[in-house]
Amino acid sequence: MKNRIYIKDLHEHIGTQVTLAGWVDVRRDHGKLTFIDLRDATGKVQMVALPKNEAAHEAAGTVRPEWVIKVVGEVKERPEKMVNPDLPNGDLEFVVTELEVLSPAESLPFDLDTDLNLDTLLDYRPLTLRRTRERAIFKVQAAIVDAYRTFLNNEGFTEFQAPKLIGADAEGSGEVFEVEYLYDRTAHLATSPQLYKQILVGVFERVFSIGNVYRAEKHATSRHLNEYTSLDVEVGFIDDHTDIMAIETRLLRFLCDQLRATCEAEFSICGAEVPVVPETIPVVKLREAQELIFQETGKDIREEPDLEPEDERWMCEWSSREHNSDFIFITHYPMSKRPFYTYEDEDDTGFSKSFDLLFRGIEITTGGQRRHTFESVVEGARQKGLDPENFAFYLQAFKYGMPPHGGWGMGLERLTARFLNIPNVKEAALFPRDINRIDTLFSSGSERDTEVTGQDDPGQ
Amino acid sequence: MKNRIYIKDLHEHIGTQVTLAGWVDVRRDHGKLTFIDLRDATGKVQMVALPKNEAAHEAAGTVRPEWVIKVVGEVKERPEKMVNPDLPNGDLEFVVTELEVLSPAESLPFDLDTDLNLDTLLDYRPLTLRRTRERAIFKVQAAIVDAYRTFLNNEGFTEFQAPKLIGADAEGSGEVFEVEYLYDRTAHLATSPQLYKQILVGVFERVFSIGNVYRAEKHATSRHLNEYTSLDVEVGFIDDHTDIMAIETRLLRFLCDQLRATCEAEFSICGAEVPVVPETIPVVKLREAQELIFQETGKDIREEPDLEPEDERWMCEWSSREHNSDFIFITHYPMSKRPFYTYEDEDDTGFSKSFDLLFRGIEITTGGQRRHTFESVVEGARQKGLDPENFAFYLQAFKYGMPPHGGWGMGLERLTARFLNIPNVKEAALFPRDINRIDTLFSSGSERDTEVTGQDDPGQ
């Protein structure tokens, strides 16, 4: 739009006439003066229309919240006693001389600034995403993705595009969605890019991908989505899983530094703080964690193969209290609970060189070392009762030489939610898909979302 | 892997002992000397095992192509008369003192360096992706994605994650895949993020997304995939479609500069050159293009609503000949051929403010200005016989104020293929999905891939 400047750049134009465009946040009429708070992608500014600019004043009197307008006006410094340090651009005034309505808007169905329940928030997503809080959430999400990629590119990783349409659900890792493929064939939606990223370790050694994955599970929790964005990494030529944990620790440090540098305002809007990532994140084996919980709380889960959500919360509180770390690695899950490609610890038979990373009460990453010889992968599949024939394509990578390797999967929406202390992961998904909703609620109300306790999926 | 260095860094270690790890490219036995070309993610180097290092020499004699090994050895400068300037690291020799096999490999089913037909190339993808040419293709693809993102981030765009699971195929833009969603509901795979990126213009003004999209079309051409990666952009507060074309021109200039700076070797491997993007890309209306083709070739397609592939090739040759540009914009497609959200040119009724960008003989982008008032969007849907009720969610954005906006969609695989002069787009997809194949060929050979002539899909 010709000559338009952004609100964030107003201070460079004091004393001049400029063009702005954006949405009306609010209009206030004070006697003969009409005030409009204008919002664009970069900020907000208060504008005033004076009766002497007749046409502009008249037009200003008609606008309502969310109308899209283009204005020409003069940028002035406010007299010192009028400065409002609590407002963005509170030291400026913008006197409107021309106002053009680009698009009117209907009356809003509710006040955007009030607390909204989750259904309203999602039913009106195209509107509610314009709220200050929602814009902050997805600005932070974009910043996470950007930092993730920057770090990995700098570390010699190659980004790849993983297919989401897959043939068989070879991995058997969870419920999968079926797709009617061409000529009446059945395909499936990938639950992770796991097998592809391993194949690509054989090509580029270090790879990452960012993309949607799918879980056809009928969850109704605050932690699960049926479609989410998986941040995946796979690294060749490792000594063991601790190499992967070391890379992830450095990545998290970089990520948090970036968020601190670029998203201070967004964290403040959400009432959250960027965590400090310690030089070394505490590491405990699952059995040690279970023993700790038993010793300190009396709850005996020492025979369980995994932690329940309340145990994860307890371990995070312990880590924060004892190690001043919001993060904690839990390692050595039993082989029986991990997928077929998981690497067994030679020195701790029955237990895997795998880890979960817990952050602020919840698992945000599942990772570990993988089997890398052909024989070991085939054996792993057989042990899980899977038919290696179904993996023929994937097995080629191992037939033709694979290095020791490992990696992780991380759910972007869950990570975003934890960073910003958002209780429900759906609020950290632009357009969440769940048992009740694909953009709009399904007709029946009988399966409405209710919080239930359940085990977490790895990686989501 | 402790102490391992990359092959690309060997020159920094001349005269010292270092650890390398990678794949055996080839082994050659010359009398008592065993030569191994070792490949890692960063390069290749010739190594020699001498009989005096007995264990290493013996181990070296057992390895074959694609075995994964770890070696310790000494980095030396070659005597001047032994320098081979045509080889990577041809000025170095690496004398192996220790060799450990990390993973053996089976004998290769074919020589990786020979010409392979497309089916072999894809049947053995985990292996054939390791070829020099294939690694170059997907390095360039990663560089395209990186440059695309860097440019847009620098221009104030916000990246977002578009959902791929959608409710109804509201847009009616092509054949869609059906997904069995939870509780026997039917969902679909998105053919583009179009409606979501428009919604997000109402939130962030300038947005982009990179992600898979799906076309359930039974194509059998060298130009189509059933799953591809769409590079999408949408921009608010434009004057008209030429603003979008201007942004795309600048993006292409940036992209080509980046490719020239970072992918010289990869382009050379593929026998391709990075194109020069002119300051201004030639622009002709569809009707002007048709008239030109009629005047110069006698072929009369002046009544057609679109260009056929051979016309696109002709226009690209013309652009190259007359304007020294590998790129050409074709604008003003008839409204009847464009989707419901397309903006009509007020000064050229019946024709749209839309464009295709042709590059080296093929359409790589479809874009244009969109309808932005509620009434206009509803009218557009009705004109196409679509029920606005199906768009209720999307229409919210327009109900609550949308600026003039537009954008484009660009197919990553097709773009990669054109940059590298690869004849079939499937070679530019890591794991292409088509009528015959999801990783492995479907059983029946009856629908084997054959080139047929057909119209292109926008954006793929």
Side-chain angles (χ1 to χ4, degrees), chain B residues 175-191:
Chain B
E175 300 281 329
V176 295
F177 288 114
E178 288 195 356
V179 179
E180 281 183 43
Y181 201 64
L182 304 172
Y183 300 111
D184 298 325
R185 287 159 183 140
T186 300
H188 300 85
L189 293 182
T191 58

Side-chain angles (χ1 to χ4, degrees), chain B residues 282 284-302 306-330 358-363:
Chain B
V284 300
K285 287 188 178 187
L286 175 64
R287 280 159 293 160
E288 293 165 349
Q290 291 167 330
E291 187 62 37
L292 204 56
I293 290 168
F294 178 63
Q295 295 299 335
E296 303 234 352
T297 75
K299 183 181 173 192
D300 191 356
I301 51 166
R302 290 174 297 174
D306 205 347
L307 296 178
E308 286 181 12
E310 70 166 277
D311 308 324
E312 293 185 347
R313 284 193 289 274
W314 194 90
M315 285 308 299
C316 284
E317 281 157 24
W318 176 84
S319 174
S320 178
R321 193 168 64 235
E322 300 291 325
H323 295 281
N324 202 23
S325 171
D326 283 354
F327 298 88
I328 177 169
F329 282 115
I330 312 287
L358 312 185
F359 169 47
R360 291 182 178 166
I362 200 171
E363 171 246 301

Side-chain angles (χ1 to χ4, degrees), chain A residues 190-352:
Chain A
T191 57
S192 93
Q194 180 65 33
L195 307 192
Y196 295 101
K197 65 181 180 170
Q198 289 188 259
I199 288 172
L200 288 168
V201 163
V203 180
F204 294 119
E205 292 192 23
R206 312 183 133 212
V207 295
F208 73 99
S209 75
I210 297 173
N212 296 37
V213 296
Y214 301 87
R215 300 285 167 94
E217 285 154 4
K218 290 173 184 157
H219 285 301
T221 79
S222 59
R223 303 182 306 283
H224 293 98
L225 296 164
N226 292 105
E227 176 180 42
Y228 70 93
T229 307
S230 187
L231 306 174
D232 272 89
V233 152
E234 202 73 15
V235 188
F237 296 101
I238 59 170
D239 287 315
D240 61 25
H241 60 297
T242 61
D243 288 349
I244 306 296
M245 289 153 65
I247 295 173
E248 184 167 12
T249 303
R250 287 192 295 115
L251 178 138
L252 288 169
R253 291 175 67 87
F254 178 84
L255 172 56
C256 289
D257 286 347
Q258 289 293 106
L259 292 178
R260 216 170 278 116
T262 62
C263 293
E264 198 195 340
E266 286 77 11
F267 271 78
S268 160
I269 286 164
C270 295
E273 271 181 45
V274 181
V276 175
V277 184
E279 197 67 48
T280 312
I281 292 175
V283 184
V284 301
K285 286 189 179 187
L286 175 65
R287 280 160 292 161
E288 294 165 349
Q290 291 167 329
E291 187 63 36
L292 203 57
I293 290 168
F294 179 63
Q295 296 298 337
E296 303 235 352
T297 74
K299 183 182 174 191
D300 191 355
I301 50 167
R302 290 174 298 175
E303 298 299 313
E304 299 298 322
D306 205 350
L307 297 178
E308 286 181 11
E310 69 166 278
D311 307 324
E312 294 185 346
R313 284 193 289 274
W314 194 91
M315 285 308 299
C316 284
E317 281 157 24
W318 177 84
S319 174
S320 177
R321 192 168 66 235
E322 300 292 326
H323 296 280
N324 202 24
S325 172
D326 283 355
F327 299 88
I328 178 169
F329 283 115
I330 311 288
T331 68
H332 289 81
Y333 289 81
M335 289 297 287
S336 60
K337 280 296 282 184
R338 291 285 172 163
F340 77 92
Y341 47 77
T342 306
Y343 196 99
E344 186 167 15
D345 190 341
E346 304 87 338
D347 300 326
D348 194 354
T349 316
F351 296 90
S352 59

